[in-house]
Amino acid sequence: MPGVLGVFTGADCEADGLGQIPHSPFPSTHFDMKLHGPGGAVGDNSFAGINTVLPTDKGRYVGEAIAMVVADTKAQAAEAAEAVEIDYEVLPAVTQTRAAAEPDAPQLYTEIPDNVFVETYFGDKSATDAAFDKADHIVKMSFDIPRVTGVPMEPRSALGHYDPEEDKYTVYAGSGGTVRQKSEIASILGVKNNQVRVYALDVGGNFGTRNRLFVEFPLVAWASKKVGRPVKNTVERSESFVSDYQGRDLIVDMELALDADGTFRALRSSNISNVGAHCVSLSPLSKGSGIITGSYRIPLAHLRSRATFSNTPPTNAYRSSGRPEIIYCVECMVEKTARTLGFDPIELRRKNLVTDAEMPYKNAVGMNYDSGKYEKSLDMVMGLNDWEGFAARKAEAKSRGKILGRGVAHYVESSIGSPVEQAELHVRVEQGRLDLVIGTQPSGQGHETSFAQVASEYLGLPVEQINVIVGDTDIVKIGGGSHSGRSMRMAGTVIVKASETMIERGKRIAEHVFEASLEDIEFNEGVFAIKGTDRRYNLLELAAEAAKIDLPEDLSDGLSVIEDNEMHTPVFPEWLPYL
């Protein structure tokens, strides 16, 4: 057809040796809840299904890419795609989470004996069962938390360019984690890491949807080499709805055991996470499992955590990755308990909240909460919202034909995420600035400003003189991307670490520039000086002077530093919304 440069299928990918997408869905930090397959080892990715860029055997969900058409214009490619004929053999399908986990459900993978490819138990079953046997009350609830799609401001897009002279692929992509995706694309294409560059600046929204690799990222790079020119793909909004990585989709069957006076004694729960047709991330199941008891002192718990395949788009970590779903379940359970058994909902919460004195607190499945002032938060939100004045406000609303309701919910977060981050600091004398290279990148939150402010405070340079560089893997070598509330915590820590190293390095350089003793060099408010004298240089001035002299070999890079930081320990911020 007019303008068509190539039509490619999974068979073409296979013939060129394209590998699977190495999603590595199991969380990797030391403190994540460790999941495994039925009878399998922790982190065994063989349970994670097949992740080819274009399938050769089955189309497993509506929205899965089956073939790729490349043409001179998008309109020509769309018209040609309409002409592609696919001879489908219709197979049984299953889309509902609970149905997909049943033993007789249609099977998505012949290589995997069951759609339920993760089954892990947490907590003490026998002690929990004994507590339920002795309980005065047992309250049960079941939750079917439906799917959502991220709907970023801009539909996802990718442009690939292959340079035959350098034998190098460049991918411009709306990505939330370029460093990781560079290595993944290189793995798929079967080339070295330095043969791939991923470049992403403003991604038009993320919240997790764009942190993992989409099939078109390696495909546009591969196709560019095939057709000899850059190849771009931008999906329509309707395509995003069925092919973006989606969020939520969790089934929870939960029950709470308590004494007659309202003291919580034990909790049991069975959670099923629907990962879709391909397993992209198990972070939602893992992180939700870790906070199964919420903010409450529930001494015993037993949790069954499962993940199932289904004929639906893949799910991914999205907007707090599994924690909001569990907190919703726990808070609904507490509210129902209060209403069913006649307890005051506030006092029932207050009675069972973990106290300040118990912090740090290990919950019933082994997760360590580092801090939390739950009762103080409760008192604060009630005061801010004039809790006692609600009756009058409700009556006033009723006089206007309105119905006014209220509620309160405790939310505890577990911020953790990828544990490694790196910062580089380089003084650019000619440009009159400091370059700050960091591996976590923004998607609309203003990270560039925050990162610059940290460096400014420690190094004494105006924020305007700090140039933050993100999202270009030819410059950014290491970094975990933006997710799980990690960015400011991880980047702030490693920027401070790099700043302190730069200051110490600057003092040693100043020793040679000033021809003074190291003990006499001080750094204060952005200035290196000899104590008790007016001889002083700021950071940029010192770098300029250092360039005029011969420095020892270990200082030959001048005022340039690179620092890594590895942080596995999660933190547990809390907030208490009034509804």
Side-chain angles (χ1 to χ4, degrees), residues 558-571:
L559 283 168
S560 288
V561 300
I562 300 175
E563 283 289 349
D564 298 302
N565 190 59
E566 188 166 342
M567 187 189 305
H568 288 264
T569 307
V571 295

Side-chain angles (χ1 to χ4, degrees), residues 96-118:
Q96 297 299 317
T97 304
R98 203 180 289 275
E102 292 295 325
D104 59 349
Q107 190 174 325
L108 269 78
Y109 295 97
T110 56
E111 303 88 345
I112 299 172
D114 197 332
N115 288 337
V116 178
F117 67 102
V118 165

Side-chain angles (χ1 to χ4, degrees), residues 62 73 88 92 120 160 196 219 233 237 362 470 491 528:
V62 173
T73 70
Y88 285 110
T120 311
V196 174
L219 284 175
N233 172 259
R237 180 64 70 189
K362 179 179 283 190
V470 296
F528 294 92

Side-chain angles (χ1 to χ4, degrees), residues 115-165:
N115 288 337
V116 178
F117 67 102
V118 165
E119 183 175 38
T120 311
Y121 293 89
F122 301 104
D124 188 328
K125 183 179 189 305
S126 59
T128 301
D129 289 345
F132 269 82
D133 291 340
K134 297 175 184 176
D136 294 308
H137 302 290
I138 296 174
V139 179
K140 301 180 180 181
M141 291 189 78
S142 291
F143 304 89
D144 185 347
I145 299 172
R147 283 182 175 237
V148 295
T149 186
V151 199
M153 185 181 297
E154 299 165 355
R156 69 179 194 269
S157 184
L159 186 151
H161 174 240
Y162 175 71
D163 184 339
E165 292 185 6

Side-chain angles (χ1 to χ4, degrees), residues 21 101 155 179 184 281 396 431 451 464 473 484 497:
I21 303 175
V179 173
E184 291 174 339
S281 174
E396 189 277 331
Q431 292 82 17
F451 297 163
E464 295 76 19
T473 62
S484 297
K497 190 175 178 181

Side-chain angles (χ1 to χ4, degrees), residues 127-453:
T128 301
D129 289 345
F132 269 82
D133 291 340
K134 297 175 184 176
D136 294 308
H137 302 290
I138 296 174
V139 179
K140 301 180 180 181
M141 291 189 78
S142 291
F143 304 89
D144 185 347
I145 299 172
R147 283 182 175 237
V148 295
T149 186
V151 199
M153 185 181 297
E154 299 165 355
R156 69 179 194 269
S157 184
L159 186 151
H161 174 240
Y162 175 71
D163 184 339
E165 292 185 6
E166 292 190 23
D167 191 20
K168 185 171 182 176
Y169 300 86
T170 298
V171 177
Y172 300 86
S175 163
T178 54
V179 173
R180 173 179 181 151
Q181 293 181 2
K182 168 190 173 115
S183 63
E184 291 174 339
I185 292 172
S187 172
I188 293 164
L189 297 176
V191 299
K192 297 176 181 177
N193 270 16
N194 62 10
Q195 291 178 263
V196 174
R197 176 194 185 196
V198 178
Y199 189 82
L201 290 178
D202 296 325
V203 302
N206 183 9
F207 285 115
T209 300
R210 289 175 163 158
N211 284 342
R212 296 300 183 99
L213 194 74
F214 286 97
V215 296
E216 58 266 25
F217 291 7
L219 284 175
V220 292
W222 170 69
S224 174
K225 184 177 182 180
K226 301 283 283 186
V227 302
R229 66 176 75 177
V231 174
K232 180 181 179 181
N233 172 259
T234 299
V235 304
E236 302 289 342
R237 180 64 70 189
S238 57
E239 293 176 287
S240 289
F241 274 123
V242 296
S243 60
D244 276 358
Y245 295 140
Q246 299 179 351
R248 316 298 187 210
D249 203 332
L250 181 73
I251 294 288
V252 176
D253 297 316
M254 184 178 284
E255 50 187 336
L256 176 67
L258 62 158
D259 291 343
D261 67 354
T263 301
F264 297 165
R265 291 302 180 191
L267 180 141
R268 285 194 293 228
S269 189
S270 172
N271 300 355
I272 310 174
S273 175
N274 186 344
V275 304
H278 304 287
C279 186
V280 171
S281 174
L282 288 165
S283 171
L285 182 62
S286 170
K287 295 184 185 302
S289 297
I291 58 167
I292 192 67
T293 57
S295 308
Y296 300 103
R297 186 192 314 100
I298 304 177
L300 295 166
H302 185 247
L303 169 63
R304 181 189 188 192
S305 295
R306 289 179 287 169
T308 184
F309 290 115
S310 70
N311 296 110
T312 58
T315 53
N316 189 16
Y318 172 74
R319 297 215 67 166
S320 195
S321 185
R323 280 89 90 187
E325 299 93 304
I326 293 302
I327 295 300
Y328 169 76
C329 298
V330 171
E331 288 300 316
C332 284
M333 174 69 74
V334 173
E335 191 72 21
K336 179 182 178 180
T337 298
R339 297 183 185 189
T340 302
L341 302 179
F343 293 106
D344 179 276
I346 294 295
E347 294 312 311
L348 184 64
R349 286 177 166 86
R350 193 187 300 279
K351 181 183 184 68
N352 290 285
L353 286 172
V354 177
T355 65
D356 302 3
E358 294 172 280
M359 292 293 177
Y361 175 78
K362 179 179 283 190
N363 74 8
V365 293
M367 186 61 77
N368 284 294
Y369 294 9
D370 64 337
S371 62
K373 295 182 180 295
Y374 302 150
E375 190 168 6
K376 179 181 179 180
S377 298
L378 178 60
D379 292 337
M380 186 183 298
V381 78
M382 290 176 66
L384 288 170
N385 289 281
D386 184 19
W387 191 263
E388 299 304 324
F390 172 74
R393 296 197 301 277
K394 183 176 181 179
E396 189 277 331
K398 186 176 181 180
S399 71
R400 293 184 285 109
K402 305 294 183 181
I403 298 175
L404 185 65
R406 70 173 179 184
V408 67
H410 276 269
Y411 186 102
V412 60
E413 174 66 280
S414 59
S415 295
I416 184 167
S418 179
V420 177
E421 197 58 57
Q422 184 181 88
E424 298 183 32
L425 296 175
H426 305 285
V427 176
R428 308 300 185 193
V429 176
E430 297 81 4
Q431 292 82 17
R433 70 172 193 247
L434 175 77
D435 282 353
L436 164 58
V437 180
I438 191 75
T440 177
Q441 62 199 73
S443 49
Q445 312 97 314
H447 285 163
E448 304 100 316
T449 302
S450 301
F451 297 163
Q453 287 172 332

